[in-house]
Amino acid sequence: MFCKNCGTEMSDTAKFCPKCGTEREGVQEAKKEVVEDNKIKFQVKPKFNIPYKMLTIVGRAILYMIIICCWLTDLYELWALYPITFLITIGIMALYIIIKLAFEKMQYDDLEYNFYTTKVEYKDGFLNKEEKELKYKYVREVTMNQNIFERLFNIGTIKIFTNASSGGYPTRRHNNMQGKNGIYIHCVENVKEQYETIKGIIDEGTPEE
């Protein structure tokens, strides 16, 4: 191959003439496509479902009380001798339930999951502000789950697994992102419809291999 400008012989892999610097014909610099991804396509804001939360939190409090009673067998005798201790115990359990409900309500008020063209962002502004991002190209699968109680209240959980996900349940039940283990969105209303929408957005935004 020869340079079109000066006639100097060029190698087949050269992009420019070694003598005059003229670009070889037919060679175009590959340009990377820049995709601006700053417009939200879909947003999920989990709702604090009071009946469902009351059921789960009260049930958990009762379970804790049963475990404590099993460990402290003398507690039954204490209640029998001093009824006021029973009332104190019930008061402590009620206080736990109220505080737990209040904190979870504030937590849910600040939760949001924003789905863009190529990524999903999780934001939590309660107490300490937290923001995380997950690119769709790292998503392995999207699932929807409803236990028997969630079905009663028409809510459910959407799980977005990454390649690093183990499939285990997160330790914090109100959200969210466990490092690289994906995203768990709890208390999603009309979960089937929202699941289909989210799955469609992720499928569309996942680059083909």
Side-chain angles (χ1 to χ4, degrees), residues 5 10 13 45-46 56 77 93 99-100 106 125 141 143 150 177 195 202:
N5 183 51
M10 300 168 54
T13 58
K45 285 188 67 68
T56 56
E77 297 180 4
M93 186 170 68
I99 294 175
K100 183 71 173 175
M106 290 186 286
E141 65 176 339
T143 65
E150 289 175 325
M177 209 169 192
Y195 162 73
I202 292 178

Side-chain angles (χ1 to χ4, degrees), residues 46-129:
K47 301 296 182 181
F48 184 76
N49 190 293
I50 295 178
Y52 172 73
K53 286 297 180 179
M54 282 289 294
L55 180 65
T56 56
I57 292 175
V58 171
R60 197 176 305 128
I62 293 174
L63 178 61
Y64 292 159
M65 184 58 62
I66 292 174
I67 294 174
I68 293 173
C69 289
C70 290
W71 284 349
L72 304 175
T73 54
D74 294 338
L75 190 60
Y76 293 108
E77 297 180 4
L78 189 62
W79 285 351
L81 292 174
Y82 304 100
I84 188 65
T85 58
F86 177 75
L87 296 177
I88 292 174
T89 304
I90 296 299
I92 293 174
M93 186 170 68
L95 184 62
Y96 162 80
I97 293 171
I98 293 172
I99 294 175
K100 183 71 173 175
L101 285 171
F103 268 79
E104 289 211 12
K105 175 64 169 61
M106 290 186 286
Q107 180 78 60
Y108 273 83
D109 288 343
D110 289 318
L111 279 176
E112 64 178 49
Y113 301 83
N114 297 321
F115 291 82
Y116 296 82
T117 301
T118 62
K119 64 185 179 181
V120 54
E121 287 184 348
Y122 151 73
K123 295 183 179 181
D124 181 1
F126 177 67
L127 295 181
N128 298 321
K129 187 174 182 180

Side-chain angles (χ1 to χ4, degrees), residues 155-167:
I155 59 175
T157 301
I158 296 175
K159 302 178 183 180
I160 303 174
F161 294 103
T162 66
N163 291 328
S165 299
S166 62

